[in-house]
Amino acid sequence: MFSERFKWPAEIDELHDALNSVKDKVQTAIDRLNAEKSNLVAVRDALSAYEETMLKHFEVEETTALPLMRAYFTPEEISPVQRKILEDAPENAMGALIFAMSPDGAKFRSDFMTVRSIPSFVWYLAFKGRLASYKKDVVAKVEAIESGKEPAKKSGWF
């Protein structure tokens, strides 16, 4: 779709390939994880490489692909593509985006959803649960590692 109207930057595809490769290295390091310090170092190094590659990927997309996309396509043409990306994103990936904007989701609702004309009820249908899952699956574990205490166990329906 994009290459019909502008030359798609090859660097983005290269970074996507690099991300997949680094992601596989992270998974391998995690799979080999045990109490040995060398295994922890391997996980740390793999995650650092992943972060570095991901940040470079974001930078290139934000400074190259998105401006080209906005210049050559109308918001109405891009909306279905963005919707598909959001629908297909893993729960924790979307939750991470929301959390990065603001841990309570307020900035995501006021900025991201408003700019894209996403109706407010979609927060409850599609996004609120993803943020909650991310907090439970990722944030609580990171906080437990930082504090040295197990994550609090939730009980009951809520």
Side-chain angles (χ1 to χ4, degrees):
M1 172 181 175
F2 298 123
S3 59
E4 294 170 5
R5 298 195 192 168
F6 63 85
K7 185 173 176 6
W8 183 256
E11 185 178 12
I12 291 175
D13 292 331
E14 292 165 7
L15 283 167
H16 281 145
D17 292 343
L19 270 174
N20 287 330
S21 174
V22 175
K23 182 178 77 169
D24 291 343
K25 290 177 183 173
V26 169
Q27 188 61 55
T28 299
I30 289 171
D31 290 344
R32 294 181 179 161
L33 191 60
N34 61 31
E36 292 181 32
K37 184 176 181 180
S38 63
N39 291 356
L40 291 172
V41 171
V43 171
R44 181 201 63 204
D45 292 348
L47 287 170
S48 293
Y50 184 79
E51 177 184 34
E52 182 180 323
T53 306
M54 182 62 79
L55 291 173
K56 178 66 176 167
H57 171 273
F58 286 154
E59 178 186 344
V60 171
E61 280 195 346
E62 292 287 333
T63 60
T64 307
L66 288 177
L68 286 168
M69 182 181 74
R70 290 178 181 134
Y72 289 95
F73 293 89
T74 66
E76 293 77 23
E77 292 172 306
I78 289 300
S79 181
V81 175
Q82 290 175 327
R83 184 175 296 113
K84 176 90 172 111
I85 290 169
L86 292 174
E87 288 171 356
D88 292 347
E91 250 185 49
N92 280 340
M94 197 66 222
L97 170 68
I98 298 166
F99 187 84
M101 293 183 79
S102 64
D104 65 354
K107 191 164 176 58
F108 176 84
R109 289 191 310 272
S110 67
D111 294 356
F112 186 90
M113 290 179 63
T114 302
V115 167
R116 288 157 184 81
S117 301
I118 299 172
S120 59
F121 73 88
V122 175
W123 165 254
Y124 300 99
L125 296 177
F127 300 123
K128 185 177 180 182
R130 291 182 179 196
L131 175 60
S133 291
Y134 179 76
K135 286 180 175 182
K136 180 182 75 124
D137 295 343
V138 178
V139 175
K141 292 172 183 163
V142 169
E143 289 172 349
I145 291 169
E146 290 175 342
S147 70
K149 299 175 184 172
E150 279 195 49
K153 302 265 192 242
K154 301 268 181 176
S155 63
W157 292 92
F158 305 96

